Amino acid sequence: MGENGARMMKPTLLVLAAGMGSRYGGLKQLDPMGPNGEVVLDYSVFDAIRAGFGKVVFIIRRDFEQVFKKQVGARFAGRIEVDYAFQSLDDLPDGYSVPEGRQKPWGTAHALRAARRVVHEPFGVVNADDFYGSDAFAQAARFLAAVRDEPAKAHYGMIGYPLRNTLSENGDVNRGICSIRDGLLTDVEEYVKIKADEDGVVRGDNLAGERRPVDPDELVSMNFWVFSPSFIDRIEDHFTRFLAAHGQEAKSECFIPTVVDELIKQGAADCAVLRTSASWLGVTYPSDKPAVVAGIRKLINQGVYPEKLA
């Protein structure tokens, strides 16, 4: 395809939804958050459509294909092109097999790899059950419309949220805090048990177990990535090597950030951190639901969303 054709190609949104069956009891309890029964995913697809995405691909499991298509996919018929990819435990590169006793899939990189036959254009990746906000999708679409890989280096992106916009009032959270140089991601440091302590200072435990203050304005990753199509090929290479090293382990997982980090350290890619003004909303705790409902209501009152999604 020529450069002009590539520029006109609308990006695709990949939605990581293979875990929904286990978390939501076969999807029957998809939690309504909007005033007319809308679920979080409805808002993500609504935001993606108005940001200029041309297709949504749901990465799901075969065992709940029909119920997902009926309860979720059908919501978007006629509004955006919808396709599906299937994460399967035994969908592995040639020469590899599932070790005896393993039941869990191989992580988010493996899930993304499942879409290799249906995605050939620039794409964004989101979790199915996180509310990312309108600005995040606008940032993603602008980046994907403008960026092109170089022969020796790929250019990827990640939506970065100020930590304060992702905290819960109902308990601590785990976040990957980004180190950034010249607008590019250099590292992500995982912190757990992040919350405002009694003295009002936000602290978290690093992986060494040390409890340290963290700046609420630091940017964190909420697993909203934007990639050129080359990333699918990079996953294949990384995942094959991952299986060679860890394929016989019962619970090993291969994650998208690990692939990105390796490519950055190799100099094979860079990753722009796209700061969003949006607040991330999610149900980390059952008691978080009222805050998500109230957050969506506030955005409706501000005119960001209509009272009823089209």
Side-chain angles (χ1 to χ4, degrees):
M1 177 177 292
E3 184 68 13
N4 288 340
R7 284 194 188 283
M8 295 175 64
M9 185 180 290
K10 287 186 173 184
T12 286
L13 181 67
L14 292 185
V15 179
L16 301 177
M20 289 181 77
S22 55
R23 286 202 295 274
Y24 286 105
L27 305 182
K28 304 225 180 275
Q29 298 165 16
L30 272 171
D31 237 353
M33 299 287 177
N36 292 282
E38 295 92 350
V39 300
V40 164
L41 192 50
D42 291 322
Y43 288 96
S44 289
V45 176
F46 181 87
D47 283 332
I49 291 169
R50 64 177 172 178
F53 285 78
K55 181 169 73 170
V56 59
V57 175
F58 295 107
I59 300 174
I60 60 174
R61 298 199 317 268
R62 285 278 185 194
D63 60 283
F64 61 79
E65 176 185 2
Q66 295 309 317
V67 68
F68 188 95
K69 287 181 175 180
K70 182 178 178 181
Q71 293 189 25
V72 181
R75 295 171 180 261
F76 312 115
R79 293 167 48 202
I80 189 172
E81 183 183 346
V82 176
D83 207 343
Y84 298 89
F86 300 95
Q87 184 178 17
S88 171
L89 183 60
D90 59 1
D91 179 18
L92 300 173
D94 290 343
Y96 292 92
S97 59
V98 180
E100 185 176 348
R102 181 168 185 121
Q103 297 179 332
K104 192 176 182 182
W106 303 87
T108 53
H110 179 241
L112 193 51
R113 177 183 176 270
R116 62 194 180 277
R117 295 186 183 91
V118 296
V119 175
H120 310 287
E121 56 280 321
F123 62 94
V125 183
V126 297
N127 293 332
D129 47 6
D130 289 342
F131 183 98
Y132 290 98
S134 177
D135 179 69
F137 286 91
Q139 295 264 12
R142 278 197 296 270
F143 179 85
L144 292 172
V147 75
R148 294 292 175 267
D149 287 348
E150 299 174 65
K153 179 171 278 191
H155 300 300
Y156 306 141
M158 185 205 80
I159 305 296
Y161 289 78
L163 173 61
R164 69 171 71 253
N165 289 0
T166 74
L167 297 176
S168 169
E169 294 182 357
N170 299 302
D172 55 61
V173 299
N174 304 338
R175 298 287 182 258
I177 298 180
C178 301
S179 296
I180 303 164
R181 185 183 305 127
D182 298 327
L184 299 175
L185 184 68
T186 59
D187 202 12
V188 178
E189 186 174 5
E190 296 294 331
Y191 275 78
V192 300
K193 299 181 180 177
I194 302 172
K195 65 182 180 71
D197 286 336
E198 290 184 2
D199 59 3
V201 176
V202 177
R203 295 183 178 88
D205 295 357
N206 63 19
L207 292 186
E210 303 161 327
R211 189 151 188 83
R212 293 184 171 177
V214 288
D215 183 349
D217 289 320
E218 294 268 28
L219 297 186
V220 299
S221 167
M222 301 307 297
N223 212 35
F224 190 157
W225 300 90
V226 284
F227 295 119
S228 62
S230 66
F231 191 67
I232 298 285
D233 295 331
R234 304 300 181 109
I235 279 185
E236 188 71 14
D237 173 64
H238 182 100
F239 185 60
T240 302
R241 287 183 286 108
F242 165 85
L243 288 175
H246 304 287
Q248 293 307 306
E249 298 171 16
K251 295 184 177 179
S252 58
E253 292 187 72
C254 186
F255 298 110
I256 293 169
T258 308
V259 183
V260 174
D261 182 67
E262 180 183 77
L263 294 170
I264 291 171
K265 301 254 186 323
Q266 290 174 345
D270 57 31
C271 183
V273 180
L274 311 172
R275 184 187 183 100
T276 179
S277 59
S279 288
W280 172 90
L281 300 173
V283 182
T284 306
Y285 301 92
S287 48
D288 285 333
K289 181 179 175 178
V292 176
V293 172
I296 291 173
R297 166 47 66 189
K298 182 179 178 181
L299 291 167
I300 292 170
N301 292 344
Q302 292 171 347
V304 178
Y305 297 101
E307 180 77 19
K308 184 170 180 141
L309 295 184

